[in-house]
Amino acid sequence: MSETPAAATPTLAARAYDVVEEMIVTLKLPPGHVFSEAELSRRIGIGRTPLREALQRLAAEGLVVALPRRGMMVTEIKLQDIFALLETRRVLDRLVAERAARRAIPDQREALAACAGRLRDAAARDDLDAFMRADHAGDDLLAAAARNPFATQALAPLHAHSRRFWYQYRHEGDLRRSADLHAHLLDAVAAGDPDAAVAASDALIDYLDAFARTVTFGVAP
């Protein structure tokens, strides 16, 4: 496959990131999987230059790691890290939810409400992949509406690790409850209610913490 022209690299790099991140989160590239740039480039149909940029971003986020002379490896899921991750998410998610509720413009509020509908619909159909895509889209919409790049840049890898953790242990979760909690957050932001958005954000993290405790300690939510 020929290298992609430099002018097209940023857009293709973003596309490569989205594709590979979804493959990692949904375990199509499972923890511990070792691969080469050339192999993955052929698999996703994107040139190695934008793919390399995407992999550098994924490495910075802790989803892949470079192995000297062997290629790249998808990182393992570490149960011991999930509670620190959620503790950090609680603070940053509250900030983003509150700011997004105040700052979203009408088009963003409409998109957030539509995304909430997609989350509920995916859960009703028991379509986990559609749910994961809608969840990711909702995170992106909140980030754009909040207009705080420092908070949203810090949150992006935390959300990716959370989605992967959920997917790995999905048999322990309740997809409809999770979808409702995510959707309530998006609805509160869409309605321009900062207090309700913060409360919904906290409720979602409470559920994710209980879910993590079920997985880790066998304690039911």
Side-chain angles (χ1 to χ4, degrees), residues 71-197:
M72 305 289 292
M73 183 182 76
V74 180
T75 57
E76 300 289 346
I77 296 172
K78 298 180 180 179
L79 289 176
Q80 65 269 28
D81 291 343
I82 190 63
F83 297 105
L85 183 154
L86 291 173
E87 183 178 64
T88 307
R89 269 195 62 179
R90 184 181 295 276
V91 176
L92 293 175
D93 278 359
R94 290 176 102 239
L95 173 63
V96 167
E98 191 271 341
R99 293 296 185 268
R102 294 186 186 280
R103 296 172 174 172
I105 62 175
D107 285 352
Q108 290 171 326
R109 296 187 193 280
E110 184 178 336
L112 285 159
C115 189
R118 291 198 301 275
L119 283 162
R120 291 189 174 101
D121 179 66
R125 292 184 287 107
D126 200 28
D127 187 338
L128 184 57
D129 286 345
F131 168 80
M132 300 297 279
R133 286 191 291 273
D135 180 26
H136 194 174
D139 290 340
D140 289 345
L141 289 167
L142 289 171
R147 300 204 294 277
N148 184 327
F150 299 102
T152 56
Q153 286 169 15
L155 268 175
L158 303 183
H159 285 160
H161 283 281
S162 292
R163 284 193 295 272
R164 183 167 69 144
F165 181 83
W166 168 271
Y167 204 96
Q168 172 74 16
Y169 298 103
R170 57 196 180 275
H171 58 283
E172 300 281 1
D174 182 334
L175 184 59
R176 292 197 181 198
R177 184 178 176 194
S178 179
D180 278 342
L181 289 166
H182 282 85
H184 283 318
L185 170 58
L186 300 185
D187 284 337
V189 174
D193 188 335
D195 291 338

Side-chain angles (χ1 to χ4, degrees), residues 172-174 177 206-215 218-221:
E172 300 281 1
D174 182 334
R177 184 178 176 194
D206 287 343
Y207 169 72
L208 293 175
D209 182 82
F211 171 73
R213 291 183 187 281
T214 299
V215 169
V219 178

